[in-house]
Amino acid sequence: MNTVIPTTLHLTLVITSMSMLVLRPLIFNRYPDESYQKWWLRIYLEEVHKQKDLGTVSDDQVDNLFKEVNFFSLCGHLWWGIWATFQTLVSDVDFDFAEYSMLRLGEYFKQKEKFFNYI
C-alpha cells in the first residue's frame, strides 16, 4: 500500500508553507504529536481500506504507517538540508540557503533519536 508519501507530505505541510521563498520562518513545533498522527493515519487508512475493500484497519497497520511516515519525514529534513548546503555554493537566487540548511539539518539531528526509536 503506497500511503507513506501522501501522509508524509500532509504532516510536513502542517509545519511548512508552499511560499518558503518569502522567508517565512519554519515552525517545527507545529509538527503533530504521536496521538494526533495516529488519529489522522487511522482515518486515512480507513478511507483507503474502504475504497479498496480491504477490511478493517488494525492497530499494527496504524503503528507501521506511523513509523514509515516519521522515517520519511526525517529523510526530508536531511535531503533539504543537504540540498540547501549545495545551493549556498552554486545558486544565484537571493535566498539565505545557509540558514535554511542549518534549520533543516538542525531539525534532522534534533528529531533523529526520537524517530529512530520508533523503528
Side-chain angles (χ1 to χ4, degrees), residues 52-71:
K52 296 184 177 186
D53 197 26
L54 297 173
T56 60
V57 175
S58 71
D59 289 342
D60 285 343
Q61 289 170 316
V62 173
D63 289 341
N64 288 337
L65 184 56
F66 171 77
K67 291 171 187 175
E68 288 181 59
V69 165
N70 280 283
F71 175 77

Side-chain angles (χ1 to χ4, degrees), residues 3-22:
T3 57
V4 174
I5 300 303
T7 52
T8 301
L9 290 175
H10 169 77
L11 295 173
T12 301
L13 288 174
V14 170
I15 60 165
T16 60
S17 168
M18 296 307 286
S19 57
M20 274 303 303
L21 293 179
V22 295

Side-chain angles (χ1 to χ4, degrees), residues 73-95:
S73 176
L74 190 59
C75 292
H77 290 305
L78 184 60
W79 167 259
W80 288 113
I82 292 169
W83 173 84
T85 300
F86 181 72
Q87 293 304 311
T88 300
L89 302 171
V90 300
S91 179
D92 294 331
V93 175
D94 184 21
F95 182 81

Side-chain angles (χ1 to χ4, degrees), residues 28 70-82 100-116:
F28 290 113
N70 280 283
F71 175 77
F72 281 101
S73 176
L74 190 59
C75 292
H77 290 305
L78 184 60
W79 167 259
W80 288 113
I82 292 169
Y100 184 68
S101 173
M102 288 175 31
L103 283 170
R104 293 306 290 255
L105 291 173
E107 194 63 18
Y108 167 81
F109 287 109
K110 178 180 165 188
Q111 298 297 332
K112 181 178 149 183
E113 291 299 319
K114 181 171 84 172
F115 289 161
F116 276 122

